[in-house]
Amino acid sequence: MKKWPETWKEYNTGGIIFDVGNARSFKTGPWRSLRPVWDNSKCIKCGVCYLFCPEGCVQEGPDGFFAADLDYCKGCGICAHECWPSAISMIEEGHES
Amino acid sequence: MTKPVGMEVAVAAAEAVALCNIDVAACYPITPNTHIAEHLADIIADGRIDAEYITVESEHSALSAVMGASGTGARTFTATSSQGLMYMHEILPITPAMRLPVVMGLGNRAVSGPINIWNDHSDIMLQRDSGWMSIFADNGQEAVDMFIQAFKIAEHPDVLMPINVNMDGFQLTHVVEPIVFPTQAQVNKFLPPYKPFASLHPDHPVSMGTLGLPEIYTEAVKARDVVLVNAKKVILEVWKEWEKMFGRKYEPVASYKTAGAEILLLTMGSMGETAEMAVDALRKKGVKVGLLKLKLWRPFPYDEIRKAVRGAKTLVVTDRAVSYGGPGGPVCSEIRAALYDQPNRPEIVNYIIGLGGRDVRVEDFMKMVEGAPKAKKSGDDYQIYGVRE
């Protein structure tokens, strides 16, 4: 699928989008420069990171611990800021945790 | 109804809109378009047409509401003036971007400040570049005709663009004129139902008004500009069809006594009729003068203007708005741009006149024509006529 029309002549009348829900195919995580990493030894499973994530991309795993969906995480750091047991640290992309 | 009826032009405008079988109207009344909004609300409340009238709390909402309705495939109408149009400003460019054929009645009025409710063209000129088609009526009959034409032009499958019909506030909106209305059957024949390119419907969902990243914004702008430029062809077709059906002729640049004219006057809106009387009086005095009346403002009729001024030595352009700190009047600056590369172009004199409802009389047009050589000699790009020194 083409991401957008090549020329102005291919531009849809009024910019109308007919394949509704096509935002699913656009991952918005690549903007990120920092990513959150959880230290599960400090995590108390309170879910504050899940509650505060403005992107709604922090999810609870079957073991009760949390992780961010990196396809959509923007690396804003709100989860790390709000995590009062300090279980989350922000790591620069390209660096190992 | 073939006999003329005496009717206030704003009321007649609402009657014309009602003849067009609109589905949704949302107008916030503001002087001098109030009577359009009021009378249309009456017509709908009385059940004379099957339409919804949305009472909104502002013009910003009025245009938003009709755009939403238009997106569902409804035929929509709104009306406003001056500060109301300013309040719509945020939404105005979005209507053509979404290719929604909304029709708007504009009772032209000066913009504040100082606060002024009377007529000039500064409201529409401030919104000139928002991508709407724009036509100007000379009198009540033209206003009525233009509203019916407007729906047909806007909804043409090659156009699908919003359009505003300009009527000078008070000088046109509030006068009683004899008006011939087409019958409902004639309008039904002339104006087919609106067929949207796409519409909002749960059974076949689409997204409208979406985000355009830098990768697509330029192409979106180009596509819109091309549609607006090409709309002129459809406008000419619709006007020709109207002439065939009703016998009243509409042109982008109408001319009056221009044969053999050395001096041409150019007006836009209701001043044209006063200027005709000035041309008659000057012709009696032996002045070779003629009149051009600009009826199509967007898309701008470059070819027609170039053709209309051919052979004239002087072109006196009247403007009813100021482009502050700029080239004078907006109409004149566009005429200058249209003629700049033309061989044997006439000398252009620009007068700004009739601001904020100040009277423009027959004598004023005579003085402007007779004073044109002196005005040209002064070297000023424009003159504000009648300003007290």
Side-chain angles (χ1 to χ4, degrees), chain A residues 3-22 31, chain B residues 97-99 160 197-198 205-210 213 215-216 218-220 222-223 226:
Chain A
K3 240 182 172 178
W4 37 69
E6 294 288 334
T7 73
W8 67 267
K9 286 175 191 164
E10 292 174 26
Y11 184 74
N12 268 350
T13 300
I16 293 170
I17 290 172
F18 291 94
D19 49 331
V20 178
N22 69 357
W31 304 345
Chain B
M98 289 171 68
R99 304 282 301 275
L160 293 171
F197 169 73
V206 295
S207 286
M208 291 183 180
T210 53
L213 300 182
E215 286 83 353
I216 194 58
T218 308
E219 285 67 27
K222 167 82 181 177
V226 167

Side-chain angles (χ1 to χ4, degrees), chain B residues 37-259:
Chain B
E38 282 178 355
H39 192 65
L40 195 58
D42 274 354
I43 291 171
I44 295 172
D46 290 347
R48 279 177 52 201
I49 59 170
D50 182 18
E52 289 292 327
Y53 190 96
I54 306 173
T55 47
V56 283
E57 90 298 350
S58 77
E59 289 85 354
H60 190 279
S61 303
L63 185 56
S64 303
V66 293
M67 275 175 61
S70 185
T72 68
R75 178 170 288 164
T76 55
F77 177 81
T78 187
T80 192
S81 294
S82 183
Q83 306 304 123
L85 186 63
M86 306 291 113
Y87 198 10
M88 279 181 183
H89 178 84
E90 193 202 19
I91 316 294
L92 276 172
I94 302 173
T95 326
M98 289 171 68
R99 304 282 301 275
L100 298 171
V102 174
V103 173
M104 181 195 290
L106 266 178
N108 296 120
R109 163 183 153 184
V111 293
S112 302
I115 299 167
N116 179 297
I117 60 166
W118 292 273
N119 166 239
D120 69 27
H121 293 163
S122 47
D123 54 359
I124 182 63
M125 290 306 158
L126 276 169
Q127 308 299 337
R128 178 183 65 167
D129 298 333
S130 54
W132 285 56
M133 295 181 286
S134 218
I135 50 181
F136 279 77
D138 256 28
N139 53 41
Q141 185 66 57
E142 285 198 2
V144 163
D145 293 357
M146 279 179 171
F147 275 111
I148 303 165
Q149 298 158 2
F151 283 101
K152 179 142 175 153
I153 294 164
E155 294 170 3
H156 191 283
D158 294 346
V159 180
L160 293 171
M161 279 288 199
I163 183 165
N164 51 58
V165 179
N166 292 268
M167 296 168 288
D168 284 335
F170 294 111
Q171 280 148 8
L172 201 49
T173 56
H174 283 56
V175 293
V176 175
E177 288 189 15
I179 289 162
V180 179
F181 281 95
T183 62
Q184 186 66 63
Q186 282 173 319
V187 175
N188 291 351
K189 197 174 156 219
F190 178 79
L191 184 65
Y194 166 41
K195 282 203 190 96
F197 169 73
S199 62
L200 297 166
H201 193 283
D203 291 348
H204 36 84
V206 295
S207 286
M208 291 183 180
T210 53
L211 173 78
L213 300 182
E215 286 83 353
I216 194 58
Y217 189 82
T218 308
E219 285 67 27
V221 167
K222 167 82 181 177
R224 192 190 324 171
D225 188 44
V226 167
V227 169
L228 204 66
V229 170
N230 291 344
K232 195 180 87 180
K233 190 172 157 277
V234 173
I235 294 169
L236 296 181
E237 277 170 23
V238 169
W239 279 351
K240 187 107 316 147
E241 195 183 332
W242 183 271
E243 189 187 345
K244 222 190 255 171
M245 206 161 161
F246 298 102
R248 289 186 291 275
K249 189 175 182 174
Y250 287 85
E251 298 167 287
V253 187
S255 53
Y256 180 77
K257 294 195 176 171
T258 51

